[in-house]
Amino acid sequence: MCTFLQRRCLAVVSVVLFFLFFSIPASAQSHLTLLNLIDSSKANLPLFRQKLALIKAAQARITATRHSFLPTLQGAEQLNIGTDNSLSGAVFGLGLLPSASGGINAVNNMDPATGNVAVLSGDYELVNFGLNGARLKAARADLAINHADFNKDLYAVKSKVVLLYLNLLKYEIKLTTDQQNIDRYSSICKVIRALSGSGLIAGADSSMANAELAKARIGYNQTQGIINQYKEQLAFVTGIPSQQIIVDTSFYGHLHPIPPVMNFPIDSIRNPLLDYYNARKNIFRTNELLIRKSYLPKIHLMASAWARGSSIQYNNSYQPLSTGLGYQRYNYLAGLALTYNFLNGIYRKDRLAENRNELEASEQELEQERLALQSQTLQADNDLQISRANLKQIPVQLSSAEVVYKQKLAQYKAGLISLIDLTNASFVLYRSQIDYIEANTDWYLALLNKAVSTGTLDQFIQSLNLEY
């Protein structure tokens, strides 16, 4: 009986905890800050995992380049059976013609003979006049451009996350404003019903107010749809399900009337967008050095040792096949060799001309990006000037619209004005609230554009101070 009661109590407690957990309102859920979203995108976006894999590949390429400086050491062992008929004279083997040592006889001898040979050979580029250093610089330049590519994409994703976040905040605030607009028209409908019920106004006003109320609800639904779209876009970039993306709209309560501007010259700090194109240009510069070094002479240190056995003896006497299975003669050889292709000058000239044009193209690409960023900075400055002027007028517009609406509502209740006058005042108030939201968002979007173009995006993100 005791065990049964314990089980019943445990079941009841479990059910209560279940409903308590799932009945937590959305407002009690933690808000996602901008830094949360950026960290999540960096951790979950496949693009960054791809770029990190390319960086690791470039790091492995540097190690492989260093190992390529090691000498080659090769070994081989052959056990053969066949005839040995040869003639005096030289031929090119072309990698296809087997060698028949000795065996110069008056007629062909088709008796088989066995042979055995083992060889160990080494080759080392003792001097290549800086080619190894040029190869290593080229590998490091490849690693640098992969790092720059990663930083460029991270910079672009950060700016996209900030853009989506600010727009999501904008429409979340707009949704609240749309709800206030609905509440105003609902209040107007109640006033109309009360006045029409007492016979003070015509019933047509009720239909007109209902139409305005429906229009306000449609606007609310449209804003909710835009919010869902921005959440889906953030979900794609960050890997966070859209249902879990909840932002803190109290950010707008922390805005300064006229927020400060961060003034940074475009070339005062490193910009990841420019660093990438500088890294591309550096690739071609290191390639130029590599090309020059690749066509210089090389001095090789070579050494070899080998052992042979044959069933054909020194006097051209054919012995049993088993006698050719062991080693009978041993040799070694060591020396230095200077190698150079006398047509390398032509090849070097062609490769340098190709690389020179690619370097010129990369320089123009860098200049094009720099001009684009300068233009974006100037456009952002223009937008900031317009936004600053608008922000000075917004408080006047908003406070005046609120006063007018209150006056018109009182006048309508007193029967002094028509419903059209009241709805016009309501629309002016709604439009003023929307202008307030858009003016603040435009200011921060202009700051974002300037931060991106001047390379100060991280400072801009920190300045938002979205962690409360």
Side-chain angles (χ1 to χ4, degrees), residues 241-467:
S242 59
Q243 299 84 356
Q244 298 179 15
I245 297 178
I246 303 173
V247 297
D248 188 358
T249 55
S250 64
F251 165 66
Y252 268 78
H254 296 262
L255 295 177
H256 303 287
I258 301 180
V261 182
M262 295 179 299
N263 289 309
F264 293 98
I266 190 170
D267 294 325
S268 62
I269 61 175
R270 296 184 62 181
N271 190 326
L273 300 178
L274 294 178
D275 286 346
Y276 171 75
Y277 293 102
N278 277 316
R280 278 178 57 84
K281 186 172 68 172
N282 189 52
I283 281 283
F284 297 112
R285 285 179 174 171
T286 55
N287 280 347
E288 180 180 354
L289 178 63
L290 180 60
I291 291 169
R292 293 184 184 278
K293 298 295 185 181
S294 297
Y295 292 101
L296 294 177
K298 298 177 180 63
I299 298 177
H300 293 258
L301 173 64
M302 298 177 294
S304 184
W306 67 98
R308 281 195 68 181
S310 175
S311 63
I312 303 175
Q313 298 303 305
Y314 64 95
N315 58 359
N316 209 27
S317 171
Y318 281 69
Q319 301 298 317
L321 296 178
S322 60
T323 60
L325 302 182
Y327 301 123
Q328 301 161 7
R329 297 292 185 270
Y330 302 91
N331 294 283
Y332 67 88
L333 183 66
L336 295 173
L338 175 67
T339 61
Y340 181 70
N341 185 344
F342 289 98
L343 297 180
N344 275 353
I346 298 175
Y347 305 144
R348 181 176 63 246
K349 180 180 178 182
D350 294 340
R351 290 284 306 281
L352 286 174
E354 176 186 357
N355 188 78
R356 192 179 303 112
N357 289 317
E358 291 177 332
L359 177 59
E360 173 65 20
S362 68
E363 289 175 346
Q364 296 302 322
E365 193 176 29
L366 173 61
E367 183 62 20
Q368 179 69 28
E369 183 66 17
R370 182 179 289 109
L371 291 174
L373 293 177
Q374 288 176 349
S375 176
Q376 182 176 334
T377 302
L378 293 175
Q379 293 177 47
D381 286 336
N382 291 332
D383 291 340
L384 286 171
Q385 291 179 3
I386 300 300
S387 296
R388 180 186 291 273
N390 291 340
L391 286 172
K392 291 180 179 178
Q393 300 301 322
I394 285 296
V396 178
Q397 178 190 9
L398 187 57
S399 61
S400 299
E402 290 174 347
V403 170
V404 168
Y405 174 74
K406 292 178 182 178
Q407 290 176 349
K408 294 297 181 181
L409 181 60
Q411 290 172 359
Y412 180 76
K413 291 180 180 179
L416 300 176
I417 61 172
S418 67
L419 179 60
I420 295 178
D421 295 327
L422 179 58
T423 55
N424 286 340
S426 177
F427 175 77
V428 169
L429 176 57
Y430 173 71
R431 186 66 257 176
S432 299
Q433 292 173 328
I434 297 300
D435 289 343
Y436 166 80
I437 298 170
E438 291 182 347
N440 281 288
T441 304
D442 290 345
W443 173 268
Y444 277 91
L445 290 179
L447 281 177
L448 170 62
N449 289 333
K450 184 168 184 178
V452 170
S453 62
T454 57
T456 58
L457 179 61
D458 290 336
Q459 292 90 325
F460 172 72
I461 292 172
Q462 293 297 330
S463 73
L464 293 180
N465 193 23
L466 297 183
E467 295 187 57

Side-chain angles (χ1 to χ4, degrees), residues 40-282:
S40 181
S41 65
K42 188 175 179 180
N44 298 322
L45 199 62
L47 173 66
F48 295 129
R49 292 197 290 270
Q50 173 204 356
K51 299 300 181 180
L52 288 174
L54 291 175
I55 289 174
K56 291 179 180 178
Q59 291 171 338
R61 198 172 298 117
I62 292 177
T63 302
T65 301
R66 288 197 180 99
H67 290 168
S68 69
F69 305 156
L70 298 174
T72 59
L73 186 63
Q74 297 177 334
E77 161 72 33
Q78 289 187 37
L79 181 61
N80 306 307
I81 183 170
T83 59
D84 183 29
N85 296 298
S86 184
L87 292 172
S88 299
V91 295
F92 289 105
L94 300 177
L96 300 173
L97 184 64
S99 172
S101 301
I104 301 177
N105 302 308
V107 295
N108 286 327
N109 185 349
M110 303 308 294
D111 292 338
T114 58
N116 189 19
V117 60
V119 62
L120 181 64
S121 178
D123 185 0
Y124 178 63
E125 282 190 4
L126 189 62
V127 180
N128 55 21
F129 302 98
L131 178 58
N132 287 347
R135 288 171 177 166
L136 197 56
K137 285 183 179 178
R140 287 170 177 164
D142 184 55
L143 175 61
I145 196 172
N146 278 280
H147 274 295
D149 188 33
F150 174 85
N151 292 331
K152 174 177 71 70
D153 288 338
L154 177 59
Y155 197 75
V157 170
K158 281 182 179 180
S159 64
K160 183 175 182 179
V161 171
V162 176
L163 177 63
L164 292 173
Y165 191 85
L166 289 176
N167 278 305
L168 179 57
L169 280 173
K170 169 186 174 180
Y171 283 98
E172 288 280 9
I173 296 296
K174 185 177 182 297
L175 189 68
T176 303
T177 303
D178 288 343
Q179 183 59 55
Q180 293 174 356
N181 196 34
I182 292 174
D183 294 341
R184 274 196 299 271
Y185 280 109
S186 297
S187 299
I188 292 173
C189 287
K190 292 180 181 178
V191 171
I192 291 173
R193 282 196 297 269
L195 294 177
S196 61
S198 61
L200 297 177
I201 62 172
D205 282 4
S206 178
S207 299
M208 184 181 298
N210 287 332
E212 293 293 339
L213 178 59
K215 181 180 178 181
R217 286 171 176 165
I218 291 173
Y220 180 93
N221 295 335
Q222 291 173 338
T223 302
Q224 184 64 63
I226 295 174
I227 289 173
N228 293 337
Q229 292 294 331
Y230 278 116
K231 285 187 175 182
E232 287 297 335
Q233 292 180 52
L234 276 172
F236 170 76
V237 176
T238 63
I240 301 174
S242 59
Q243 299 84 356
Q244 298 179 15
I245 297 178
I246 303 173
V247 297
D248 188 358
T249 55
S250 64
F251 165 66
Y252 268 78
H254 296 262
L255 295 177
H256 303 287
I258 301 180
V261 182
M262 295 179 299
N263 289 309
F264 293 98
I266 190 170
D267 294 325
S268 62
I269 61 175
R270 296 184 62 181
N271 190 326
L273 300 178
L274 294 178
D275 286 346
Y276 171 75
Y277 293 102
N278 277 316
R280 278 178 57 84
K281 186 172 68 172
N282 189 52

